[in-house]
Amino acid sequence: MNDNPPIRRILEECRTIAVVGISDDPSRASHYVSEYMQKHGYRIIPVNPKLTEVLGEKCYPDLRSVPEKVDLVNVFRRPADCLRPAQDAVAMGARALWLQLGIANEEARQVAEDAGLLVVMDRCIMVEHRRI
């Protein structure tokens, strides 16, 4: 598979990314992947109830607390914890749900797809951005 049209579409059209489960530890994938996307022109909105700021941006305790429009919800949580972010992505009018590498949840995918969101699971957004 050379290209996945939903991935290309998400990367081209979704410029504001809420990152659920972001860490303030630069060695964690959620941090350095988000930093990479930020450096490539994407707006990053951190979501983690334990933090107040990440990558120079105000951090929100959950998706429903984010006061601005979000195009893409990028999830760095265990597969069992992905349903709520999917439901919140739908509720907030996001256009896409991305479950990072190693993360897949069919129920979350179904909720998002049923609401018309584009969905990517078990892929790293940074790797896909570099590839495309």
Side-chain angles (χ1 to χ4, degrees):
M1 166 169 51
N2 279 344
D3 193 15
N4 182 327
I7 289 175
R8 179 179 294 279
R9 184 171 169 201
I10 289 168
L11 291 172
E12 289 175 353
E13 298 176 9
C14 296
R15 305 304 297 178
T16 302
I17 305 171
V19 183
V20 177
I22 194 167
S23 173
D24 58 356
D25 178 348
S27 71
R28 302 287 304 223
S30 63
H31 185 92
Y32 64 76
V33 167
S34 297
E35 184 177 42
Y36 169 89
M37 297 305 289
Q38 188 181 55
K39 287 180 178 177
H40 284 84
Y42 293 84
R43 168 109 162 84
I44 298 298
I45 300 174
V47 178
N48 185 324
K50 298 176 183 170
L51 304 173
T52 57
E53 184 178 301
V54 181
L55 297 172
E57 297 286 345
K58 176 180 169 64
C59 192
Y60 296 92
D62 54 54
L63 282 171
R64 292 181 187 245
S65 301
V66 175
E68 59 190 277
K69 179 85 172 111
V70 169
D71 299 319
L72 169 63
V73 173
N74 188 14
V75 182
F76 285 88
R77 299 290 313 273
R78 294 181 330 211
D81 296 330
C82 291
L83 181 57
R84 180 62 185 259
Q87 293 166 332
D88 289 349
V90 169
M92 70 191 312
R95 297 171 60 191
L97 175 71
W98 192 300
L99 306 184
Q100 276 295 131
L101 189 63
I103 305 169
N105 181 308
E106 287 302 320
E107 190 177 6
R109 179 191 60 75
Q110 195 64 53
V111 164
E113 285 183 349
D114 286 352
L117 277 69
L118 298 171
V119 177
V120 175
M121 296 193 306
D122 193 22
R123 299 259 188 140
C124 176
I125 195 168
M126 180 178 75
V127 169
E128 297 302 324
H129 183 269
R130 285 177 174 161
R131 183 178 65 81
I132 292 175

